[in-house]
Amino acid sequence: MATGRTHRPATRSRGIPEATVARLPLYLRALTALSERSVPTVSSEELATAAGVNSAKLRKDFSYLGSYGTRGVGYDVEYLVYQISRELGLTQDWPVVIVGIGNLGAALANYGGFASRGFRVAALIDADPAMAGKPVAGLPVRHTDELESIISDNGVSIGVIATPAGAAQQVCDRLVAAGVTSILNFAPTVLAVPDGVDVRKVDLSIELQILAFHEQRKAGEEPGQGARTAASRSGSARPAAAAARDGRKGPDGDVPAVMPA
Amino acid sequence: MATGRTHRPATRSRGIPEATVARLPLYLRALTALSERSVPTVSSEELATAAGVNSAKLRKDFSYLGSYGTRGVGYDVEYLVYQISRELGLTQDWPVVIVGIGNLGAALANYGGFASRGFRVAALIDADPAMAGKPVAGLPVRHTDELESIISDNGVSIGVIATPAGAAQQVCDRLVAAGVTSILNFAPTVLAVPDGVDVRKVDLSIELQILAFHEQRKAGEEPGQGARTAASRSGSARPAAAAARDGRKGPDGDVPAVMPA
DNA sequence: CCTTGTGAAAGGGTTCACAGCA
DNA sequence: TGCTGTGAACCCTTTCACAAGG
């Protein structure tokens, strides 16, 4: 059948487990904040708290990068920021294209965290001719016809898809054919890509559904009090709570999406 | 400070592993598409392909829900749609509030997949007085002052935060105090919440950084082996030169986000 | 003392492979 | 015959607990 690949070649390269890689950005953010406050060193305990994980996990994660800490003291903030940035490949600048400039695409284009950390929006692309030339976040929107040339001219290897579900696969195919090897997909569809291409997805409705699942459980076993009904009020129910972690996968098509491309 | 829970008595929920719960929405989407095409039954193999997972995993997942399939035949589409919807708590309507109506908030408000399955946007809330009353996606934007009353009047238990990072924790606290027990956070911050409250986060820059990590690896070892994909030129991994951005600037847990709340 | 770094134990999740049944 | 449902193996991740070392 259709490829359906969404895998990664096994990231065998040199250790570092996926779960750890997924947390490095979190550590980096916390460290950057400390750095701005000119904090020289942090303990695994403090940093872990700031990043929302537990210290054992953090130390284990860092152990995969090397021994960057000092026993009895902690980690040097600046040094760690550098090491993690390097590990994540953020010491270089990655040009990115965003396809589908609707509300979502515009929001992404305006997103500050973007430009600030290793990424640069090389171009905004939309299929609507009426959008062409219109400035969004300081950049003129380019028409889809130019997609291929934009990618090769700028050496873009990362693409963001913010089109409606119906256009996603088509856009994806063109991006890949033009040389993009990493895709961040906001459209609620399972993208089929050849081996060697990484796809990560962000799906609003999936997240909401997962929350609804847990919410339902809470309502179902409300302690004492009577009246509950879905969404009555009642603060915390049973700590049947949570696990907010990240689960990745590829959704499939249906749900109307967010914007025109 | 401190991230609320760090420990959980183990997902006692009611059997169903977290990983499975995270995939149910995928199956549901694929099934809904089949349902619309009036396909009566589907095999684990077909459905798995449509959902982007492998059949063994899918069958194992379904086994936690019960034995809804027929050996030698497959699964009844309509029946499964119902069972999964029920399991996810989508047979009831969940009122949701979106706080922070900038580009992102507006995109979320316009998101069709929302209303279509179990969720209903009860209100759009923003801190900017100028926004008050302005219609977005057919709903008038309400001012933050009304947050508490909106939540209790509508029995809202799920809230979406699409504000800048700086306002997120504060908004979160108010939501929780007002009775919200599930939060979907789009702001790049670690939210601290009391036990019993679920938080899931969607973070653009984290996803991009993870992609960059893998992209960097690809660039590093570009194996001769042609035909590694449809991606014509392996010119992938072509980080533009560039040192980086200016020293300071404020990329961090305080990244200028997407919109005002 | 203090905190890191890490073997080893414990838990989940994924995959295998086949028994069981329509 | 064909496909589901599932025990068991396997593998990845998290947690524990302590030795190592500033």
Side-chain angles (χ1 to χ4, degrees):
Chain A
M1 334 330 238
T3 338
R5 286 280 69 89
T6 299
H7 275 152
R8 59 185 35 81
T11 319
R12 261 287 84 28
S13 290
R14 196 54 259 170
I16 311 187
E18 256 318 290
T20 294
V21 172
R23 280 187 296 268
L24 292 182
L26 231 42
Y27 301 144
L28 183 56
R29 181 174 290 160
L31 285 165
T32 305
L34 291 174
S35 170
E36 278 166 11
R37 290 198 285 127
S38 302
V39 176
T41 62
V42 275
S43 66
S44 60
E45 196 64 57
E46 299 169 312
L47 184 54
T49 299
V53 304
N54 69 56
S55 63
K57 193 184 291 182
L58 179 145
R59 288 200 300 279
K60 180 63 101 182
D61 282 341
F62 286 0
S63 77
Y64 292 117
L65 307 183
S67 293
Y68 298 145
T70 304
R71 295 169 198 247
V73 178
Y75 302 89
D76 179 273
V77 176
E78 295 303 328
Y79 187 56
L80 246 194
V81 164
Y82 171 70
Q83 290 302 339
I84 294 180
S85 294
R86 191 175 52 75
E87 198 63 61
L88 286 172
L90 305 180
T91 48
Q92 44 187 287
D93 216 53
W94 297 97
V96 170
V97 293
I98 298 176
V99 186
I101 313 302
N103 277 316
L104 178 58
L108 300 179
N110 281 301
Y111 182 62
F114 238 134
S116 66
R117 226 196 308 281
F119 302 95
R120 178 170 51 81
V121 180
L124 304 179
I125 303 174
D126 198 285
D128 181 0
M131 290 287 292
K134 270 180 56 179
V136 171
L139 285 175
V141 174
R142 313 277 292 272
H143 188 266
T144 312
D145 290 344
E146 304 178 80
L147 190 147
E148 286 75 13
S149 61
I150 291 172
I151 290 177
S152 82
D153 290 354
N154 294 279
V156 174
S157 55
I158 299 178
V160 177
I161 296 179
T163 69
Q169 183 62 60
Q170 191 179 322
V171 166
C172 172
D173 292 342
R174 287 182 66 181
L175 287 174
V176 172
V180 165
T181 48
S182 285
I183 291 175
L184 180 50
N185 180 34
F186 283 84
T189 323
V190 174
L191 293 179
V193 295
D195 267 12
V197 175
D198 270 317
V199 174
R200 290 192 68 85
K201 75 163 196 307
V202 170
D203 194 312
L204 167 68
S205 72
I206 285 181
E207 299 301 322
L208 279 179
Q209 286 172 43
I210 294 172
L211 283 177
F213 172 86
H214 294 297
E215 198 59 39
Q216 180 179 226
R217 295 290 157 115
K218 292 177 197 168
E221 45 180 286
E222 206 65 57
Q225 341 265 122
R228 67 313 203 150
T229 321
S232 65
R233 285 193 42 263
S234 71
S236 54
R238 266 282 316 275
R245 197 59 309 119
D246 30 15
R248 241 80 257 185
K249 232 28 188 155
D252 151 75
D254 170 322
V255 188
V258 187
M259 277 293 285
Chain B
M1 45 161 74
T3 347
R5 71 118 193 40
T6 301
H7 233 64
R8 192 193 319 65
T11 315
R12 255 286 96 28
S13 290
R14 182 23 227 158
I16 312 188
E18 237 346 89
T20 294
V21 171
R23 281 187 295 267
L24 292 181
L26 287 181
Y27 302 143
L28 182 57
R29 183 176 288 162
L31 284 165
T32 304
L34 291 173
S35 171
E36 277 166 12
R37 289 197 284 127
S38 301
V39 176
T41 62
V42 62
S43 68
S44 61
E45 196 65 56
E46 300 169 311
L47 184 54
T49 300
V53 304
N54 69 56
S55 64
K57 194 184 289 184
L58 179 146
R59 287 200 301 279
K60 180 65 100 182
D61 283 341
F62 285 0
S63 78
Y64 292 117
L65 307 183
S67 292
Y68 298 146
T70 306
R71 295 168 199 248
V73 179
Y75 301 90
D76 179 273
V77 175
E78 295 303 329
Y79 187 57
L80 246 193
V81 165
Y82 171 70
Q83 291 301 340
I84 294 180
S85 294
R86 191 174 51 76
E87 198 63 61
L88 285 173
L90 304 180
T91 48
Q92 47 187 283
D93 215 54
W94 297 97
V96 171
V97 293
I98 299 175
V99 185
I101 313 303
N103 278 315
L104 178 58
L108 299 179
N110 280 301
Y111 183 61
F114 237 131
S116 69
R117 250 210 195 281
F119 302 95
R120 176 170 52 81
V121 180
L124 304 179
I125 304 174
D126 198 285
D128 181 359
M131 290 287 293
K134 271 181 57 178
V136 171
L139 285 175
V141 174
R142 312 277 292 275
H143 188 267
T144 312
D145 290 344
E146 303 178 81
L147 190 147
E148 286 74 14
S149 61
I150 290 173
I151 289 178
S152 83
D153 290 355
N154 294 279
V156 175
S157 56
I158 299 178
V160 177
I161 297 179
T163 68
Q169 183 63 59
Q170 192 178 320
V171 166
C172 172
D173 292 342
R174 288 182 64 180
L175 288 174
V176 171
V180 166
T181 48
S182 285
I183 291 175
L184 180 50
N185 180 34
F186 282 85
T189 324
V190 174
L191 292 179
V193 295
D195 267 14
V197 175
D198 269 319
V199 174
R200 290 193 67 85
K201 71 170 195 305
V202 171
D203 194 313
L204 166 68
S205 71
I206 285 181
E207 299 301 322
L208 278 179
Q209 286 172 42
I210 294 172
L211 283 177
F213 172 86
H214 294 297
E215 198 59 40
Q216 182 183 42
R217 294 288 159 113
K218 292 178 196 166
E221 47 177 279
E222 206 70 56
Q225 265 330 339
R228 92 64 171 299
T229 56
S232 54
R233 260 300 8 126
S234 55
S236 54
R238 259 267 1 210
R245 26 40 198 235
D246 38 332
R248 45 167 182 96
K249 201 357 191 313
D252 99 53
D254 190 298
V255 180
V258 187
M259 276 295 284

